[in-house]
Amino acid sequence: FEKDTVHLKAITILAKSFKKLKDIDSTQLFVDKGLVLSPNHFELNQLKINQLFKDKKYKETLPFLLNIDSLHKKDTYITNALGKVYYNLDSLDTSKKYFKKLSSIDSEDYKANTYLGHIAMKEKDYKAAMINYTIATYKGQEDRDEEYYGLATMYYETRKPRRAMKAFE
């Protein structure tokens, strides 16, 4: 990088290295330099998106996501991130569209169904919430606490205390 300050590969490696070291300022410095040189670079965009999302700057995240979504239509990372950003911006219809797309692209991603369940709960569509939370509990192979909690909450709100207790357990 000292010899050639526009060497994109060196900038990317430095950004990823500082990310591993959890040096946020240096990471963002190199990410920003790299994105000026190559605005469509996937890895640099991914680092930028992850940091903005972590900082809860959802509106600032959206242009970066839409840019790389136009280049990589079938990427599950982008589809998932767009669904989460729209969910956090309370654009539930748009979020639902992306999570349904994610579910069709990656049938093993149970978090898409979890978020579809959350959206259904916000919309008071308890049947859809139950279906999505149940699907998520069957798909997921790791801890599914959030899915069972959502299912229990749905049963509680629909006045089915026995099923709610079972799901809470």
Side-chain angles (χ1 to χ4, degrees):
F1 179 74
E2 287 179 6
K3 291 180 182 179
D4 185 5
T5 59
V6 293
H7 192 270
L8 190 60
K9 189 172 182 178
I11 291 171
T12 305
I13 291 170
L14 284 167
K16 289 174 14 182
S17 297
F18 281 117
K19 171 72 175 160
K20 285 182 184 175
L21 294 171
K22 297 182 181 175
D23 186 345
I24 297 168
D25 293 335
S26 297
T27 302
Q28 290 308 307
L29 175 80
F30 285 105
V31 166
D32 292 338
K33 283 182 184 211
L35 288 175
V36 167
L37 297 172
S38 178
N40 297 330
H41 193 279
F42 186 80
E43 289 177 291
L44 293 174
N45 272 294
Q46 196 173 15
L47 288 170
K48 183 74 170 181
I49 290 164
N50 288 342
Q51 187 58 47
L52 288 171
F53 194 85
K54 189 176 181 182
D55 294 339
K56 297 183 180 184
K57 296 179 179 178
Y58 305 118
K59 286 186 179 181
E60 292 176 34
T61 307
L62 207 51
F64 292 101
L65 278 169
L66 293 173
N67 177 40
I68 60 171
D69 183 46
S70 66
L71 303 170
H72 306 277
K73 287 284 185 197
K74 298 246 182 214
D75 190 80
T76 57
Y77 165 78
I78 299 165
T79 308
N80 185 23
L82 278 166
K84 287 179 181 178
V85 166
Y86 281 118
Y87 178 80
N88 286 307
L89 292 173
D90 284 330
S91 297
L92 298 181
D93 289 334
T94 310
S95 178
K96 190 187 305 184
K97 179 183 90 171
Y98 281 106
F99 284 122
K100 283 182 179 179
K101 180 180 174 184
L102 177 62
S103 189
S104 69
I105 294 172
D106 184 4
S107 61
E108 294 180 18
D109 188 347
Y110 68 95
K111 285 294 186 179
N113 293 99
T114 302
Y115 273 97
L116 287 169
H118 292 339
I119 292 167
M121 284 297 288
K122 282 187 173 185
E123 294 174 341
K124 306 279 187 211
D125 184 358
Y126 298 117
K127 184 177 180 182
M130 180 185 68
I131 290 168
N132 281 298
Y133 285 136
T134 304
I135 290 171
T137 59
Y138 285 114
K139 277 185 182 180
Q141 298 299 315
E142 40 192 79
D143 289 339
R144 300 176 307 271
D145 297 340
E146 184 179 356
E147 291 74 22
Y148 280 115
Y149 181 78
L151 194 58
T153 305
M154 185 279 309
Y155 282 133
Y156 178 77
E157 288 193 19
T158 57
R159 303 195 193 299
K160 296 178 182 171
R162 286 190 179 151
R163 287 186 174 180
M165 287 300 293
K166 187 175 179 182
F168 276 126
E169 288 173 5

